[in-house]
Amino acid sequence: MTKFNKTLLAMAVTLASTQTMAAGFQLNSQSATGIGRAMAGDAIIADNASVLARNPAAMALFDETAISVGMTYADINVEVSDVQYDTILGGTNHLGSLDNAAENKVIPNFYYINPVNDKIAFGFAAFSNYGTGTDLGELNNNQDFNTPIDLLGNTEVVTINLNASMSYRINDSLSLGLGLDIIQGSGTLTRSGDLTLAPGMDPIALNLVDVDADGWAVGGIIGLAYEINENHRFGFSYRFSPEMKASGDISYNANPLTPAESFDEIEIPMADIAQFAGFHQLTEKFAVHYTAQWTQWSTFDHIGLVDGDAGSSEAILKEYNWKDSWFLSFGATYDINENWTVRAGIANDQGVVGEVSSLSIPDSDRIWYSAGFTYNINQNSSLDFGYTLVDGEKVHVLEQSALVGQVSAYTESGANYFSLQYNYNF
């Protein structure tokens, strides 16, 4: 396969990689309490049913049925600036900048935990780990001649995680848990525009990539909870992530002079996630908590297409050199009185992109600044609010276009999370 063909094929990677891993922006938005403390201690605090998203073993800490339902508004900002490339005549074409290349998202969640007895509990959950939308197509309008249309376009992605879990208390200190994840992902991707082969010639309309795909995958999670006493406990979980296979309308234009080829599926390897959390009630009113989360991004080695209608049984779209990453957070909680609890946290979110960078998947190290509160309406119900400011670094991106050569740009991503959640204990 020629370099030109491989580069055009690689554009389909944007859908798959964003859908499964959201490398440019991962949505840690499973609960309002977690957002209010930078997810610090979320796998073991168990102050409401949303702990099910992080550690099924923590259900053993509940002695009554609990429900949590919430919604997060993610105000996402991705800035792409100083986009330019060198021409064959030695000059530089400038495509300008985009102040906001991402779409905001509303992300709902639901959790249910039911203790059967003092040993066994089960639960159900629905939440989203990934979801994003970027549109760089506007940059193609900032140049009269050719632009890197193979790199600039629209991407829309939504994922839903449906989880069923159970826990078993072995003794007063140790509890184990396991769960089944059913993941549904859907998205669209377009890479299209005009290509002029030489000055004075009529432009050729190209539809390089046109994808509208969805798929299901099955994964799992195991966890443990260890209680030193009622004031000090630790949690650990490991989420086994599957290979996602998305099918639908999947086509790419391997050669502008020939028809596009259709494929049946995109295959995407997903990363496993391990996390350790601790909680310590230091005084009657004050507690500290922390999380160390490791994500095995290095398993994301390439994206493939399967079963093409022109006889291609399999094709590697693009090789990646991503690295494993850490998310480290620390937080504190203070009970003001019987009605009000406040919390705060800070986190370091390590970027995953190594030597291979991408305009459509901007990534960098990020810092989380979080704060939130709980209002206890009565003995059985409460309302949580959480806010997080995600501050990402500005990074320089170099990416090769098959149409115009190497493209240079700067990307910077960040977000404001606003989350509201209602909890009820039966």
Side-chain angles (χ1 to χ4, degrees):
M1 186 176 294
T2 67
K3 179 179 178 182
F4 181 75
N5 292 351
K6 288 182 178 180
T7 305
L8 294 182
L9 276 168
M11 297 311 100
V13 172
T14 308
L15 170 69
S17 59
T18 309
Q19 178 172 321
T20 55
M21 293 192 290
F25 205 87
Q26 183 176 357
L27 296 176
N28 284 321
S29 57
Q30 288 78 20
S31 70
T33 41
I35 287 177
R37 57 187 173 225
M39 300 297 168
D42 259 31
I44 194 59
I45 295 181
D47 43 5
N48 56 64
S50 65
V51 70
L52 186 55
R54 298 280 174 162
N55 185 4
M59 292 191 297
L61 303 176
F62 290 76
D63 55 12
E64 56 187 3
T65 301
I67 290 178
S68 293
V69 57
M71 183 171 293
T72 297
Y73 178 74
D75 177 17
I76 304 170
N77 183 42
V78 175
E79 296 182 3
V80 182
S81 58
D82 296 331
V83 184
Q84 59 185 6
Y85 62 92
D86 294 334
T87 68
I88 59 175
L89 300 178
T92 301
N93 283 347
H94 298 269
L95 301 183
S97 304
L98 278 180
D99 292 334
N100 194 354
E103 287 193 357
N104 301 332
K105 295 293 180 182
V106 176
I107 311 156
N109 55 69
F110 172 83
Y111 305 95
Y112 171 80
I113 294 176
N114 183 15
V116 177
N117 51 44
D118 59 357
K119 292 286 188 180
I120 299 174
F122 67 86
F124 301 97
F127 53 92
S128 177
N129 281 325
Y130 308 99
T132 189
T134 58
D135 190 352
L136 306 181
E138 185 179 330
L139 293 170
N140 291 317
N141 301 327
N142 297 338
Q143 181 63 242
D144 294 334
F145 199 55
N146 290 334
T147 60
I149 60 175
D150 53 343
L151 306 183
L152 307 176
N154 182 57
T155 303
E156 297 290 338
V157 175
V158 175
T159 64
I160 301 173
N161 191 317
L162 305 176
N163 172 271
S165 297
M166 68 170 294
S167 66
Y168 182 78
R169 178 175 287 278
I170 297 177
N171 53 44
D172 290 341
S173 297
L174 181 63
S175 301
L176 302 179
L178 59 88
L180 179 71
D181 288 326
I182 300 177
I183 305 167
Q184 196 275 339
S186 62
T188 60
L189 170 69
T190 58
R191 295 291 183 269
S192 61
D194 293 334
L195 174 67
T196 302
L197 297 179
M201 295 184 62
D202 293 333
I204 302 172
L206 295 182
N207 189 17
L208 301 179
V209 178
D210 191 356
V211 177
D212 186 358
D214 60 75
W216 294 84
V218 177
I221 184 172
I222 60 173
L224 67 83
Y226 186 80
E227 303 168 73
I228 298 176
N229 52 47
E230 63 179 8
N231 294 322
H232 303 278
R233 53 186 180 268
F234 302 98
F236 173 81
S237 68
Y238 192 97
R239 175 158 261 126
F240 300 91
S241 298
E243 181 179 71
M244 173 72 73
K245 293 185 178 181
S247 61
D249 297 324
I250 303 169
S251 67
Y252 75 97
N253 196 338
N255 186 330
L257 302 179
T258 62
E261 181 177 5
S262 296
F263 279 82
D264 290 340
E265 288 184 332
I266 298 177
E267 293 184 336
I268 314 106
M270 299 174 68
D272 289 356
I273 302 172
Q275 60 183 307
F276 172 80
F279 173 81
H280 306 282
Q281 190 73 42
L282 301 182
T283 70
E284 183 179 351
K285 292 181 174 292
F286 182 72
V288 296
H289 28 86
Y290 44 85
T291 287
Q293 177 179 286
W294 171 82
T295 306
Q296 195 180 13
W297 295 111
S298 60
T299 60
F300 185 69
D301 51 359
H302 70 272
I303 301 293
L305 292 179
V306 179
D307 295 334
D309 63 358
S312 302
S313 60
E314 187 176 22
I316 294 177
L317 304 184
K318 185 176 181 180
E319 300 286 348
Y320 279 86
N321 188 25
W322 289 2
K323 57 187 180 181
D324 298 340
S325 66
W326 286 92
F327 179 91
L328 305 175
S329 63
F330 179 83
T333 298
Y334 184 77
D335 296 322
I336 298 176
N337 51 43
E338 294 182 355
N339 296 110
W340 293 95
T341 297
V342 294
R343 58 184 60 88
I346 188 170
N348 179 35
D349 188 7
Q350 188 179 40
V352 303
V353 173
E355 297 178 1
V356 179
S357 57
S358 172
L359 281 168
S360 56
I361 316 175
D363 188 64
S364 68
D365 292 345
R366 295 170 288 267
I367 300 296
W368 285 45
Y369 304 97
S370 305
F373 65 83
T374 295
Y375 174 69
N376 295 310
I377 301 172
N378 53 47
Q379 187 175 356
N380 299 103
S381 60
S382 62
L383 192 66
D384 294 328
F385 174 79
Y387 168 75
T388 287
L389 168 65
V390 181
D391 184 19
E393 296 179 353
K394 188 174 185 178
V395 296
H396 186 210
V397 176
L398 293 173
E399 188 172 9
Q400 190 71 26
S401 166
L403 304 180
V404 301
Q406 188 177 72
V407 179
S408 170
Y410 290 89
T411 63
E412 186 174 4
S413 60
N416 290 282
Y417 283 146
F418 304 89
S419 188
L420 193 65
Q421 178 176 299
Y422 176 75
N423 312 295
Y424 190 87
N425 297 325
F426 292 87

